[in-house]
Amino acid sequence: MNKTRTSGRTIGGFRTLSLQAPAVSLLFLWMIVPLAMTVWFSLQRYNLLMPGMTGFAGLENYEYLFTDPALWSAMGTTLLMVGWVLAITVVGGTLLAVLFQQEFMGQGIARVLAISPFFVMPTVSALVWKNMMMHPANGVLSWVAELFGLPAVDWFSSLPLTSIIIIVSWQWLPFALLILLTAMQSLDEDQVEAARMDGAGPIAIFFFITLPHLKRAISVVIMIEMIFLLTIFAEIFVTTSGGPGLATTNLAYLIYIRALLDFDVGMASAGGVVAIILANIVAIFLVRMVAKNLEN
Amino acid sequence: MTTAKTNSLTGAAPRVQRSPLTEALLNRRLWLGILGWTVALLIFFPIFWMVLTGFKTEAEAIAEPSLIFSPTLDSYAEVQSRAGYAKFAINSVVVAFGSTLLALLIAIPAAYSMAFLPTKRTKGTLLWMLSTKMLPPVGVLVPIYLLFRDVGLLDTRTGLIIVYTLMNLPIVVWMLYTFFKDMPKDILEAGRMDGAGTLQEVLYLLLPLTLPGIASTGLLSVILSWNEAFWSLNLTSSQAAPLTAYIASFSSPEGLFWAKLSAASTMAIAPILVFGWLTQKQMVRGLTFGAVK
């Protein structure tokens, strides 16, 4: 027993392998099997509604996919959603982090209230916004609009994409706030104090000290949010079902339509491959950033 | 913190009269407080409104928005008894806790070996695990759906538990790894000197000492599983549907009862909201894989 401990390394290495084996092999299977199947199906003629039509399709599915205006519309919608939500949550989150970093009465409770939406399940937040906030007749927003003598807005028919962006931003703004607030706590107070002594105003301090300090945290927020926002699903499923028309159909929802509503496995898989490639471009940057962090 | 700072400031100022600086500062803090609370309440408002609506009658719920009403528990009672809320809640509990337990069981040995017996490959393995999180679920929806259909896992709790376990495994390994790494090595060494084998070392030293870390890792995993909607909506229908799917069923026009929807939603999010408040710090670590401190 003692011998194995002292001559450790190789045996330790062996033990390391056996301890990690379940986790590693399961994750490997989870990654590689569906991935290989997706790529394989994407090259097949495979529609569950037409069992007779099978066989190798080559790049046919991709050809259909890329000539289908729905794909480009869905890509555009995906980018718009990701872009707007990112802009709103990062800018808003930074400002809120600065605000909630200040000391004021009950700051701890206010903070907890402000980050709460992040813990609400997406189907709940979508339904609450759809029915109780944005309902054209009895929603709180139209009630407020009426207070100011403005016409009520029928959010989901006249501004479908905007509505989704508002709901998703409401969910992810707290995430940005949570991460950025944590990052703020490692801000060097002495440095801020010194700058203040030197006559720097709050705006100068924000741009020359706070913002550079938050740079890394902001980039992490952007990367993580991107990965989740690229595949927003439940919010669309519950509120607009991708409509009206294709107005709120993003790539994730398009694949879902092709797969589980049209039963076109081949086409859906081709869409899946496109989604995977998009996500991986984003992921490479995130993994690099985390890897850099591991070095320190 | 707050009082100490104020005292030192007022202490620095002359006794008789507050200096203009203190005055301004006090004012600033007051205004900050008003601004902070306004923003916080605005952000929280939809949740507050939902909770409130759950205590209204259906008629009051769809009437003009109002804060004045006589609260009733009717919607809660109805959701409990008639809509089969309990079945979905049980599914959520079983799936969220089942997948968390399974993930912890698989992750603890892995994280233990990574933290205490690191090799050259450890960092690479950790990063590779992280990269499996980057695979978008829609990209692999079709094969998982077909696989599950063929082996009879569609609409089963077992199926969801498997998916959620694998979904959370990288995060769980990462968090446990960081907690284990922070643990002082001397204690384990001392244990070894006293003749503890690996199993005893883990069971009697490591696990009790890192219990808070393991607990918050578990909570994070429960939160993520509880709120997950993509897989639950696509892989379950009636038997194994958790609360996420149940709530989504209210989106059909015939399911539109605001008070009941609100009551059900409140019950669905209440435990997770509390868990979330408790684990916000660890949440940051887990969700950013330690890249933000």
Side-chain angles (χ1 to χ4, degrees):
Chain A
M1 220 22 193
N2 262 333
K3 213 172 178 188
T4 57
R5 291 229 183 268
T6 40
S7 61
R9 272 300 131 189
T10 46
I11 291 170
F14 182 70
R15 196 168 57 170
T16 305
L17 273 187
S18 65
L19 286 173
Q20 290 174 16
V24 170
S25 51
L26 283 173
L27 277 176
F28 185 72
L29 284 177
W30 170 240
M31 187 183 77
I32 206 72
V33 172
L35 197 62
M37 284 173 80
T38 301
V39 174
W40 172 248
F41 286 146
S42 77
L43 302 172
Q44 301 288 311
R45 263 184 220 104
Y46 189 1
N47 190 320
L48 296 175
L49 294 181
M50 290 178 269
M53 270 191 31
T54 51
F56 189 68
L59 294 177
E60 215 171 79
N61 287 318
Y62 290 95
E63 208 183 306
Y64 275 122
L65 191 71
F66 283 111
T67 49
D68 183 358
L71 176 79
W72 302 106
S73 151
M75 287 259 220
T77 307
T78 308
L79 291 179
L80 272 178
M81 267 184 210
V82 174
W84 274 107
V85 175
L86 272 182
I88 294 168
T89 56
V90 169
V91 174
T94 310
L95 295 178
L96 289 186
V98 173
L99 174 62
F100 285 105
Q101 175 69 9
Q102 316 285 326
E103 280 172 29
F104 57 80
M105 261 229 314
Q107 156 211 42
I109 302 168
R111 231 184 240 189
V112 158
L113 290 182
I115 59 163
S116 295
F118 185 61
F119 303 116
V120 175
M121 54 175 70
T123 49
V124 165
S125 63
L127 274 178
V128 166
W129 274 92
K130 182 190 180 188
N131 294 316
M132 280 169 268
M133 296 291 125
M134 291 174 160
H135 192 276
N138 303 316
V140 172
L141 288 184
S142 49
W143 182 76
V144 172
E146 252 167 60
L147 269 189
F148 290 99
L150 298 167
V153 178
D154 188 355
W155 288 92
F156 287 100
S157 37
S158 53
L159 299 166
L161 191 54
T162 313
S163 308
I164 303 261
I165 290 171
I166 291 175
I167 297 172
V168 177
S169 299
W170 178 74
Q171 281 186 283
W172 285 91
L173 182 63
F175 171 76
L177 170 61
L178 186 64
I179 305 290
L180 295 173
L181 205 50
T182 307
M184 285 283 272
Q185 271 144 20
S186 60
L187 183 63
D188 188 358
E189 280 298 323
D190 296 340
Q191 203 188 348
V192 175
E193 205 47 53
R196 201 171 286 146
M197 291 295 180
D198 289 344
I203 294 173
I205 290 179
F206 174 76
F207 278 106
F208 293 111
I209 298 177
T210 312
L211 213 49
H213 174 76
L214 290 181
K215 215 173 78 186
R216 178 193 201 83
I218 289 177
S219 47
V220 170
V221 168
I222 292 176
M223 289 300 158
I224 306 247
E225 279 195 21
M226 251 184 171
I227 285 165
F228 283 93
L229 297 177
L230 277 172
T231 54
I232 289 177
F233 177 79
E235 292 83 347
I236 299 171
F237 178 88
V238 167
T239 55
T240 63
S241 304
L246 284 171
T248 53
T249 299
N250 66 354
L251 202 49
Y253 206 78
L254 186 71
I255 298 169
Y256 160 78
I257 294 175
R258 291 283 182 269
L260 296 191
L261 299 183
D262 300 347
F263 297 102
D264 193 336
V265 175
M267 185 84 109
S269 300
V273 172
V274 173
I276 291 169
I277 293 171
L278 264 183
N280 270 290
I281 295 172
V282 176
I284 289 167
F285 290 103
L286 179 62
V287 171
R288 255 200 212 147
M289 197 177 305
V290 175
K292 217 186 244 169
N293 197 61
L294 268 187
E295 304 299 313
N296 307 331
Chain B
M1 267 290 267
T2 320
T3 47
K5 262 201 173 156
T6 327
N7 282 345
S8 70
L9 274 167
T10 41
R15 269 276 159 107
V16 237
Q17 224 182 356
R18 278 199 189 121
S19 77
L21 180 76
T22 320
E23 201 75 58
L25 202 85
L26 281 176
N27 252 330
R28 199 176 95 98
R29 194 163 288 178
L30 178 72
W31 287 112
L32 272 175
I34 291 172
L35 184 62
W37 271 96
T38 311
V39 171
L41 290 177
L42 276 179
I43 294 177
F44 191 73
F45 182 78
I47 301 175
F48 165 76
W49 195 250
M50 175 193 83
V51 175
L52 208 65
T53 308
F55 291 108
K56 293 181 177 179
T57 63
E58 287 299 342
E60 285 166 337
I62 56 162
E64 283 268 286
S66 163
L67 285 171
I68 302 146
F69 62 95
S70 47
T72 162
L73 284 172
D74 287 358
S75 305
Y76 282 90
E78 203 149 325
V79 167
Q80 287 281 30
S81 64
R82 272 211 289 177
Y85 171 87
K87 189 181 93 182
F88 301 100
I90 290 170
N91 283 340
S92 270
V93 170
V94 170
V95 171
F97 284 88
S99 63
T100 298
L101 278 181
L102 198 57
L104 283 175
L105 221 60
I106 301 170
I108 286 175
Y112 165 82
S113 71
M114 284 173 173
F116 296 112
L117 306 161
T119 63
K120 276 183 201 154
R121 264 175 305 161
T122 299
K123 269 177 193 166
T125 312
L126 272 169
L127 284 175
W128 168 77
M129 285 189 165
L130 172 62
S131 73
T132 65
K133 271 305 283 175
M134 313 294 164
L135 200 65
V138 269
V140 291
L141 167 65
V142 175
I144 297 287
Y145 185 88
L146 295 176
L147 276 177
F148 271 35
R149 188 198 58 183
D150 292 347
V151 293
L153 280 174
L154 270 189
D155 204 13
T156 63
R157 292 176 193 161
T158 318
L160 266 198
I161 289 178
I162 293 173
V163 170
Y164 288 176
T165 302
L166 292 164
M167 174 181 89
N168 289 336
L169 196 54
I171 295 184
V172 172
V173 171
W174 266 83
M175 282 183 73
L176 289 176
Y177 167 78
T178 48
F179 282 122
F180 288 174
K181 256 199 111 126
D182 288 347
M183 199 188 141
K185 288 227 165 69
D186 321 357
I187 300 177
L188 288 189
E189 304 249 309
R192 260 178 233 169
M193 292 296 183
D194 291 343
T198 307
L199 192 65
Q200 286 144 318
E201 185 184 310
V202 170
L203 284 183
Y204 298 116
L205 288 171
L206 183 70
L207 293 187
L209 283 170
T210 52
L211 200 61
I214 296 174
S216 49
T217 307
L219 277 184
L220 175 67
S221 162
V222 167
I223 293 174
L224 293 175
S225 307
W226 189 278
N227 287 344
E228 202 286 329
F230 180 79
W231 291 114
S232 71
L233 285 170
N234 282 318
L235 296 181
T236 66
S237 48
S238 56
Q239 287 311 306
L243 287 168
T244 42
Y246 169 62
I247 301 286
S249 70
F250 277 91
S251 60
S252 61
E254 64 269 24
L256 264 188
F257 295 102
W258 289 9
K260 279 194 252 336
L261 161 67
S262 300
S265 298
T266 305
M267 284 191 280
I269 69 160
I272 285 322
L273 207 52
V274 175
F275 281 171
W277 290 341
L278 294 178
T279 51
Q280 23 166 326
K281 283 230 172 67
Q282 288 78 8
M283 195 105 186
V284 174
R285 190 193 278 203
L287 289 173
T288 63
F289 302 97
V292 171
K293 279 168 205 140

